[in-house]
């Protein structure tokens, strides 16, 4: 895969190569977190009446927290609209997910529900932030 050179050249001239490198390398923990999502299968195969084992709870909460943390870094140093508030929501979500992993000696369905609520909250926040605040004069745009 070849990274387009124009943005990197602009970053070099502006002295922001470190930010570009941070943005590039932050995708590695994001991919690792997504790949660790295979833990969902383990949770679904576990006994529904017993509390989720620590290893499985940490794997699901940790992988989603890692993704949330990576995306928060991307928002913090990216050029996406509303990045500051999205950074805060993603970072907060990662903290909540780690708290669930630490304190969550509960049933598998509860862990899945809590992780889903944290993730859905971030999606709702994204949808809320992406709404245009003004009407377009020309609806063809």
């Amino acid at each position: 895969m070849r990274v387009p050179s124009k943005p990197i050249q602009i970053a070099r001239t502006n002295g922001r190569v470190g930010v570009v490198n941070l943005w590039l390398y932050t995708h590695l923990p994001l991919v690792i977190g997504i790949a660790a999502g295979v833990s969902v299968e383990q949770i679904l195969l576990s006994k529904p009446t017993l509390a989720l084992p620590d290893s499985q709870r940490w794997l699901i909460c940790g992988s989603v927290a890692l993704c949330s943390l990576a995306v928060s870094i991307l928002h913090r140093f990216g050029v996406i609209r509303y990045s500051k508030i999205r950074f805060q929501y993603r970072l907060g979500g990662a903290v909540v997910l780690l708290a669930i992993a630490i304190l969550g000696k509960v049933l598998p369905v509860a862990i899945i529900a809590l992780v889903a609520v944290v993730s859905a909250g971030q999606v709702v926040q994204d949808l809320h932030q992406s709404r245009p605040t003004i009407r377009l004069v020309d609806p063809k745009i």
Side-chain angles (χ1 to χ4, degrees):
M1 182 170 109
R2 186 169 183 273
V3 177
S5 62
K6 186 71 172 171
I8 294 173
Q9 289 172 352
I10 293 170
R12 279 190 185 138
T13 59
N14 293 337
R16 296 182 51 103
V17 175
V19 173
V20 172
N21 285 336
L22 179 68
W23 186 85
L24 286 171
Y25 290 116
T26 301
H27 283 80
L28 179 62
L30 178 63
V31 172
I32 291 170
I34 291 170
V38 87
S39 61
V40 172
E41 179 183 2
Q42 295 295 319
I43 293 171
L44 292 175
L45 295 175
S46 67
K47 295 185 179 185
T49 56
L50 298 176
L52 202 59
D54 291 344
S55 60
Q56 291 178 2
R57 187 179 69 246
W58 273 100
L59 186 58
I60 186 67
C61 292
S63 63
V64 178
L66 183 63
C67 289
S68 188
L69 180 62
V71 172
S72 75
I73 292 169
L74 291 172
H75 279 296
R76 174 65 180 93
F77 294 100
V79 291
I80 304 168
R81 279 180 72 189
Y82 306 113
S83 290
K84 193 174 215 177
I85 190 72
R86 287 180 177 170
F87 158 74
Q88 294 169 349
Y89 272 88
R90 298 299 183 277
L91 189 60
V95 169
V96 169
L97 288 164
L98 290 177
I100 291 169
I102 292 169
L103 305 171
K105 292 268 185 189
V106 294
L107 298 177
V109 69
I111 294 290
I112 290 174
L114 290 169
V115 170
V117 165
V118 171
S119 301
Q122 293 181 13
V123 170
V124 167
Q125 188 274 332
D126 271 352
L127 291 173
H128 177 70
Q129 286 291 320
S130 66
R131 291 183 184 166
T133 57
I134 58 171
R135 291 185 175 255
L136 294 175
V137 177
D138 185 3
K140 295 178 186 175
I141 296 177

